Amino acid sequence: MGMLKHDIIPYLLISWGLAVFGWILILSGVASLQQNCTSGPNGYAVNIRQLAGYLGIASCSKVYAYTWFITFYAFFMLVLTPILVVTGKLSKFRAGFIGLLAPLIMLLGDMSSTFIYYTDLDFNSTAVARARTTTAGAVITSIGAYLVLICSGIVDEDKEKSEKSGQPTGAVYGGRYGVMPDEDQPQGYFKNYTEKS
């Protein structure tokens, strides 16, 4: 009880593996891009007037702090996903899991949008290649995370949940001409509760 149906697990694992591959690209791209930072008053991540994405005129530590936050937020979700699947707790924590995964997809889109503009900036070819690696990693991780989101919500593996939730068992009562079975009468005979007694 509580485990995912076996036919969805391969798709979930493939999606998760795609996200892990993209995360490795993000990690290598961001780490190598931060190597370009210099110290001093000109030590800006992007030192131009019109800037792309969240890269305002800020020091490298501030710009890359946000990028590192997104990177390790993705890492947290990549660790959490197999833990919830293996322990069978995904159905119990599905709403929270999706609530954590959806902002990650948005943040990865923001990251890819930011680093794609490195191509148009006046950087050397090495920095542009590193930015493209980061962009590719963000896009691949975003696709993998979106597929994990779809796979985790496609199957309700806890069939007993609706029966335990206090929902009606199928008998319909109420309305203006509501009827309810009368215990003293034979089966199929209903007493009309709209009549005055």
Side-chain angles (χ1 to χ4, degrees), residues 59-137:
S59 65
C60 277
S61 62
K62 290 188 182 192
V63 169
Y64 288 108
Y66 186 61
T67 305
W68 282 113
F69 166 75
I70 298 170
T71 304
F72 284 105
Y73 183 26
F75 177 73
F76 168 73
M77 292 306 295
L78 290 173
V79 169
L80 183 65
T81 302
I83 290 173
L84 289 177
V85 170
V86 169
T87 59
K89 302 290 185 187
L90 187 58
S91 65
K92 185 175 183 182
F93 298 110
R94 180 175 301 168
F97 178 72
I98 290 173
L100 288 171
L101 201 55
L104 174 65
I105 294 168
M106 186 273 311
L107 289 171
L108 288 169
D110 189 30
M111 178 190 278
S112 65
S113 176
T114 297
F115 286 107
I116 194 73
Y117 288 112
Y118 267 52
T119 308
D120 298 329
L121 301 178
D122 189 23
F123 285 150
N124 61 25
S125 61
T126 305
V128 171
R130 292 171 178 173
R132 287 179 181 162
T133 302
T134 305
T135 302

Side-chain angles (χ1 to χ4, degrees), residues 153-168:
I154 205 165
V155 176
D156 184 17
E157 63 277 344
D158 212 359
K159 294 293 181 188
E160 301 85 26
K161 190 160 83 173
S162 62
E163 295 165 351
K164 294 179 184 176
S165 66
Q167 294 177 355

